[in-house]
Amino acid sequence: MDVAEVAVELPVAGTYHYEVPARWSMRPLVGARVLVPFGGRGVTGIVVAYPAAAAVPAGQMRPIEDVLDDVPPVSAELLDLCLWVARYYEAPPGEVLRAALPAGTRVTAARFVALTDAGREALAGAAGGALPRRLRDVLGRVAGAGGAIAARQLGARGIRREDVDALVASGLLQRTTARSRARVRPRTERVAVAVGPVDAAVRAALARAPKRLAVLEAIVAAGGAAAVADLKHAEPRAADHVRALSRAGLVEVVHRPVRRDGWAVAADDVATSAPVEPPQLTEPQRAALDQIARAVDDGVFRSFVLHGVTGSGKTEVYLHAIARALAAGKSAIVLVPEISLTPQLAARFRARFGDRVAVLHSGLSDGERFDEWHRLRRGQAAIALGARSAVFAPVDRLGVVVVDEEHDSSFKQEEGVRYHARDVALVRAQRAGAVCILGSATPSLESYRAAATGRHALLELPSRATARPLPEVDIVDLRTYQPEGDAMLTAPLAAAIDDALAAGDQVILFLNRRGFSTFVVCGRCGHAFRCPHCSVALTHHHRSRKLLCHYCGHSEPVPDRCTPCGGAKTILRRGIGTEKVAAAVGARYPGARVARLDRDSAAGAGLHDVLRRVARREVDILVGTQMVTKGHDFPGVTLVGVLCADTGLSLPDFRASERTFQLLTQVAGRAGRGDRPGRVVIQTYRPEAVAVAAAGRHDYAWFYRAESASRAELGYPPFGHVIAVRFDGPDPGAVRAVARQFEDRIRALRAPGVTALGPVEAPLARLKGRSRWHVWLRGSDRKAVRAAARALVAPGVDRPASVRVVVDVDPVSAL
């Protein structure tokens, strides 16, 4: 008997053993999807191995029901990587493998109990009278439900399993399985193929059907094959004519795949991207590329931290390195923080490599991602460009993996499988013998320390690729210069904007708070309007006339009166977001064209519309959140104003200072990328903060030394390892009680060198309707910290099913 080890696509730990039916001539291949019974239903699983010994006795093992793939969609290399991710991040292996497959391809099966013909006859005739009343009642309930009831609903309908077994044994009921179809499948189109030329005999035969003849001639003129849908443009009844031509043996109708291309690069986007012909590299670029190219040619794993100031040409190094890999018959993966925010990068890759680039990101439909995934799997595309999940792209002969803006926290998945795409990229490159390039103007402390200690090779691009220097930075102390009204402009920043507009230049104003007013209160009783599902204030959005929660999406109308005290005209809107700033700036500069770029304005096609307008110089002042910091290259921008640099500095998170420095440096880098020099004005209440001062000096090394000293003292990454154990659930009391139960386990932990902090309520105590507590485990030995986490969450704590306990390995947020 063959036994298959299967990872089911469900959030359950471990793998399960299933019997391969003896009647099958061939067992499923490792990496293939199978349909297996799990509980009372059928689910998709992936065969991960054929173990020598089964964990379940032969008589108790359930068989595989069906094989869904002749060719495994998961290669051996990718399967091995996914199983490593599951082990390292304490994640269900089936959930990890699901992330490696296109969305919408999942297949499930439901089991039913259905009446047989004999059962219907028994109900209708005298034979039913011979049945015990209890069994006849069961038949009646099944008949009343339309002749079939889902197996999982039997108990809810008061039907006992032993009664069903008796009726099945007597042939009055039968057990059946209904298999669902995958939600996303390949799209095809009908194509008419001419069987032969249009000669005199054909013309004579169609003399009395001129439109039919015209359709046939159009098919021949198109090279002998044409899509029926295209033929309808000239002849609305083309489909009828094609059917008639097919019956006459003059054409053959076939189906061919149709690609759903959701990233058709617009001409305007291409115009703002790099030229197709590679530019001349600078000496630092050439030196960096030489080291990378040698590793690519050698076919060995090497990892590089490409530390280049903003505008230094890191992307050009990526493009050359990938071209080198393609020339050797290898493929590449390029990860970016948010592909929907970087259309220029996608345009540059398409401009350089054409259709060999497949784009994978959440902005595409499931069908579009399905087609791009299959192009990579079939080898029709050799470069996978996408957000974090693209690290699982089905490419063969991997040569180069690029993680652009590797410091960005969005590479960490915060729900489900909590993997970090940067670290998975390093492991994938290592196992494939490929080169991994971690690029950033502000590398994470983890990556830079790894380079400093020799784990990665450090490559430096200390100056911009053009002759222009980095922008001059002025730091304005908000304790001295009071900002002017809702525009939040101090006198120095307002004067700089005046100068830039007078010169015909463009301006970016950065504030990392969206909305119109960031909180709403009653001026009479002090009641604050907060999200009912999250521990945050609701934000007033003026255009939509709504109060919104930026965490869970809850919305409600702006109130006319205070609910607790009934006060009318006492509602105060306080705090300032980008929507209010954009309105105030528009009023302050009536002749300027002002646009906004944040999550609200970027919805739908808004993002690309705003970016195109800025690229065409149709926007004079762009007001935005961190979306304006993400890799945009606008030569017309000479001034960047940071309205308040302190919004993230005081968060209860050990990475708050690092994130602030990165944001300030990245947004400052948008200035002066064209022919004219750039200038940056940073407004702050804390000019002495290292994150602010170092960003003002473009001095990463200074920030790294200062931040490293404080991290080393506390044992935080990169000088220690951290795992967060998180508890959450809808009932605050139940979550608190479960968290408290872990106190005894924490005191009993015998893990030398591991410190446990908590359990304590999370800073965001309630999020999306779930109360949150956590425990942080910290230590210098990664294995010891992981062992402590496993011991902490081992079975034994009695908790309600509504309370979830999640292990978050290498967390990036303490909130």
Side-chain angles (χ1 to χ4, degrees), residues 695-710:
R697 289 168 41 177
H698 304 292
D699 195 338
Y700 176 84
W702 176 31
F703 175 79
Y704 173 77
R705 289 193 300 270
E707 185 69 8
S708 292
S710 62

Side-chain angles (χ1 to χ4, degrees), residues 776-790:
W776 281 62
L777 301 174
R778 188 180 65 201
S780 58
D781 186 322
R782 187 192 301 271
K783 291 183 179 179
V785 177
R786 290 169 57 77
R790 289 196 192 99

Side-chain angles (χ1 to χ4, degrees), residues 741-742 745 791-799:
Q741 289 183 62
F742 278 81
R745 286 198 169 194
L792 194 60
V793 299
V797 172
D798 185 24
R799 59 185 173 90

Side-chain angles (χ1 to χ4, degrees), residues 420-446:
H420 199 302
R422 177 198 62 214
D423 299 336
V424 176
L426 283 163
V427 173
R428 183 164 190 187
Q430 181 183 43
R431 292 173 176 232
V435 168
C436 188
I437 308 170
L438 310 179
S440 177
T442 55
S444 63
L445 263 67
E446 289 88 341

